Amino acid sequence: MILTVTLNTALDITYRIPALRAGSSHRVSEVTERPGGKGVNVARVLAALGHEVTVTGFAGGTTGRVLRDLLTEVPHLTDALVPVTGTTRRTVAVVDGRSGDTTQLNEPGPTVSHAEWSAFQEVYGDLLASASAVALCGSLPPGVPVGAYAGLIRTARAAGVPTLLDTSGSALRRGVAGRPDILKPNADELAELTGSHEPLRATLDARRRGAGTVVASLGAQGLLAVTPDSRWHAAPPARLRGNPTGAGDSAVAGLLSALVEQQPWPAALSRAVALSAATVLSPAAGEFDRTTYEKLLPTVTVTRESNAA
């Protein structure tokens, strides 16, 4: 079983309108709802690939109930979310039909009490006993300690479970000190962590801060990975036009699935790039088409260069 942790789950709501005009009233042509938060998105992709996956984190209130109801519809996915008295946040995406642009509105999430945080840690420890790997993803809701991810990574290491961390800001700065097996920032998060906008230099710096391997998302340029003994670059065959929403989460799912299958780095990075690209090309934001993914997989280019000085 693969475990994904989403401390700040969300109910993702997408509104489609003909054209977005600031200060105007709009008639919505289509509304969709789906369970969200980065780790939940990762879990949905893993489940679609056929992996047994368990989702944990927090859920509460009316939106939390809707989110959990939607999770029951996902084959291969088990809900182990911890209830909170607050209400799970909503994220609202407004898609402009004329330009194709998306405007995102993200709520902060419910405040988590000390007792709720303690309850989660107990559930998390129990779930690790049957986990083959764990992904710790997304923002921290109010009330959760800023060093939460570092502690959760250390708990997983003590249980012999490999970890992947995908977060940002102070949670990333503190979390990398926990020494995750894989760190998966995007280019902006990597620059914020290290102060460098040069991808290779920043990726090497992030490894020195504690990560075993750093896999950086470089947008259309693909992935740059620095492992303990090599560095790799994986890229799609051409620049893709589409919606990048959820592409990073699909890449995380690709890396995590390859990790538990003990795939070598070229195969892992190819899978991550192909899943990310298939997500960009999907007409539904954050989804991917299995056939498109399988067609893209053999077209990904992976090159290697030694880390030796």
Side-chain angles (χ1 to χ4, degrees):
M1 175 269 287
I2 300 175
L3 178 64
T4 72
V5 174
T6 313
L7 297 176
N8 209 6
T9 56
L11 180 64
D12 291 343
I13 303 168
T14 301
Y15 293 144
R16 295 184 180 275
I17 59 175
L20 180 62
R21 298 180 301 276
S24 300
S25 177
H26 298 81
R27 188 175 298 277
V28 176
S29 59
E30 181 184 344
V31 181
T32 58
E33 291 183 336
R34 64 174 190 172
K38 291 183 71 64
V40 172
N41 297 338
V42 170
R44 290 169 60 245
V45 176
L46 286 167
L49 292 172
H51 286 274
E52 296 299 322
V53 58
T54 296
V55 171
T56 191
F58 297 109
T62 302
T63 53
R65 287 193 295 273
V66 174
L67 182 151
R68 301 187 80 164
D69 286 345
L70 291 170
L71 288 177
T72 64
E73 302 172 6
V74 182
H76 305 293
L77 188 149
T78 299
D79 172 4
L81 293 168
V82 175
V84 291
T85 56
T87 299
T88 295
R89 68 190 177 123
R90 297 161 296 182
T91 66
V92 179
V94 182
V95 180
D96 186 326
R98 180 180 55 190
S99 68
D101 293 338
T102 300
T103 299
Q104 193 84 13
L105 304 173
N106 297 327
E107 296 179 357
T111 298
V112 175
S113 71
H114 177 76
E116 290 164 344
W117 174 236
S118 296
F120 167 78
Q121 290 176 286
E122 183 174 345
V123 169
Y124 174 74
D126 291 343
L127 290 169
L128 287 174
S130 55
S132 55
V134 57
L136 303 126
C137 304
S139 60
L140 301 177
V144 172
V146 69
Y149 283 138
L152 296 177
I153 291 167
R154 294 184 183 108
T155 301
R157 183 185 300 110
V161 180
T163 56
L164 183 152
L165 178 64
D166 182 13
T167 186
S168 60
S170 58
L172 172 59
R173 289 193 297 273
R174 295 287 295 273
V176 72
R179 307 185 69 82
D181 294 275
I182 301 175
L183 185 70
K184 213 295 290 176
N186 62 32
D188 290 339
E189 292 160 352
L190 191 60
E192 184 180 6
L193 173 65
T194 65
S196 174
H197 291 272
E198 200 288 308
L200 178 57
R201 179 180 299 173
T203 306
L204 291 167
D205 186 5
R207 267 209 80 236
R208 287 191 290 268
R209 291 168 185 259
T213 291
V214 179
V215 182
S217 293
L218 305 180
Q221 285 71 50
L223 298 175
L224 173 64
V226 177
T227 73
D229 57 6
S230 300
R231 60 179 182 258
W232 305 82
H233 180 248
R239 189 177 184 90
L240 304 172
R241 289 186 173 274
N243 188 343
T245 301
D249 300 330
S250 292
V252 168
L255 294 171
L256 206 61
S257 63
L259 174 67
V260 300
E261 294 171 21
Q262 299 183 328
Q263 295 290 318
W265 279 110
L269 295 170
S270 293
R271 183 180 298 183
V273 169
L275 280 169
S276 180
T279 303
V280 171
L281 294 174
S282 174
E287 305 290 340
F288 80 97
D289 176 71
R290 184 65 179 255
T291 300
T292 302
Y293 158 65
E294 291 174 350
K295 288 180 178 178
L296 285 167
L297 187 58
T299 72
V300 177
T301 301
V302 182
T303 57
R304 178 183 182 178
E305 183 176 352
S306 173
N307 276 349

